[in-house]
Amino acid sequence: MTVWNEGAFIYGDHVWAHSEWGEYDPNLMVSSNGQCSPYCTVKASTAPKPLQLRTWLQFNTTLVTSVPLNQAETIDVDTVLKLKSNDFAGVSYATSGPGDLRCDNGMLKGSTNSGFVFSGTWPTLTFKKSELPEITGHISRAQSRGNPGAPPAGGVPGSPLTRLYDDADAEENRSDACSYLTDPRPPNSSCDEYPFAHTYEGAYTGGGDWMSDFSAEWASQTEQDKQGGMIANLYRDERLLDADAFYVKADLKS
């Protein structure tokens, strides 16, 4: 797991001794510690524990980043299991940890902190019809026409959106998509563009054709405000940097 505001990663592993082999030593101690490189150090780890047969032993190691400011690096994590007793010098086993652990320092827009994410896992932002019926319907219709962003389903590969930092390009995305709305604007509504303005797949930065690649519809301002908060929360909580990928799901059943 990642510790959001501390630039820290807690690496946990479990040890299960299922049977004895040879002469079982009741004084046998077990330790299991994570280690990482580069730009990463161990802050704390669980102390060695007595071996217990057929019992899960949990060990946690807190790793902290030393990535330079305004840089992002992929961190390699391993775990080392050690066995030792009064009459036994000990033996170590090393196994590989997650290989797609990325840490950045001060690169998240709107934040100056550092943090870890699993860069090989693309998050999904879900809109529910019961909560945002107009926007959820719009996204569903747009994706059914071929607009990108839908997660993989039924053997069909997903086509993610990617976050866009540049505010000027985002405004162009919004302006280009909304220029296709020619019907009168309903009261208390505003233009809802899809893909979102702050994505590289938007109408201006992504190019493409109206309807088949990007879309716009009128939606209530209340829903628009809620949607804006959801998108901002996704970007922050999932620590999406510029050009990081994510999916958008339109849930019409809940």
Side-chain angles (χ1 to χ4, degrees):
M1 63 175 293
T2 59
V3 184
W4 166 244
N5 276 325
E6 299 180 10
F9 175 74
I10 299 176
Y11 183 76
D13 56 301
H14 294 73
V15 176
W16 171 276
H18 61 84
S19 64
E20 306 92 338
W21 182 80
E23 295 184 5
Y24 172 63
D25 186 348
N27 297 313
L28 194 63
M29 300 292 291
V30 182
S31 62
S32 186
N33 301 310
Q35 55 187 22
C36 55
S37 64
Y39 302 113
C40 180
T41 58
V42 175
K43 179 180 181 181
S45 59
T46 304
K49 298 181 179 182
L51 178 66
Q52 300 178 54
L53 294 176
R54 290 171 289 279
T55 299
W56 283 112
L57 301 178
Q58 180 173 347
F59 298 87
N60 292 328
T61 304
T62 302
L63 312 171
V64 295
T65 177
S66 57
V67 171
L69 185 64
N70 298 324
Q71 291 189 30
E73 299 286 347
T74 298
I75 305 297
D76 293 323
V77 180
D78 300 310
T79 183
V80 177
L81 175 68
K82 295 182 179 179
L83 306 174
K84 186 177 182 180
S85 69
N86 296 335
D87 301 322
F88 180 55
V91 64
S92 299
Y93 302 92
T95 59
S96 297
D100 60 352
L101 185 65
R102 184 195 70 194
C103 183
D104 77 273
N105 187 353
M107 294 185 66
L108 180 66
K109 188 176 182 180
S111 175
T112 59
N113 64 0
S114 57
F116 290 97
V117 296
F118 291 102
S119 57
T121 302
W122 297 342
T124 299
L125 177 59
T126 300
F127 291 92
K128 297 181 178 181
K129 183 179 179 180
S130 60
E131 298 173 355
L132 299 176
E134 296 179 19
I135 287 176
T136 303
H138 176 207
I139 293 173
S140 176
R141 288 186 290 274
Q143 290 181 346
S144 68
R145 294 192 297 264
N147 288 200
V156 178
S159 177
L161 303 182
T162 48
R163 184 181 182 182
L164 169 68
Y165 270 9
D166 191 278
D167 291 331
D169 282 347
E171 188 55 40
E172 288 286 357
N173 281 337
R174 183 176 294 109
S175 177
D176 281 13
C178 294
S179 67
Y180 286 85
L181 285 180
T182 57
D183 52 322
R185 175 181 174 179
N188 302 316
S189 67
S190 61
C191 173
D192 177 46
E193 74 284 345
Y194 185 84
F196 310 134
H198 276 92
T199 65
Y200 280 97
E201 292 69 33
Y204 170 71
T205 53
D209 299 318
W210 165 247
M211 299 294 279
S212 60
D213 296 298
F214 61 89
S215 175
E217 293 185 10
W218 297 116
S220 75
Q221 190 60 54
T222 300
E223 288 197 22
Q224 289 277 63
D225 293 341
K226 291 181 179 179
Q227 176 186 228
M230 292 173 64
I231 296 172
N233 289 340
L234 174 84
Y235 289 165
R236 183 190 68 246
D237 295 346
E238 300 295 342
R239 203 169 185 88
L240 293 179
L241 305 184
D242 190 58
D244 277 355
F246 65 98
Y247 293 115
V248 178
K249 180 180 179 181
D251 186 351
L252 301 177
K253 297 181 180 180
S254 62

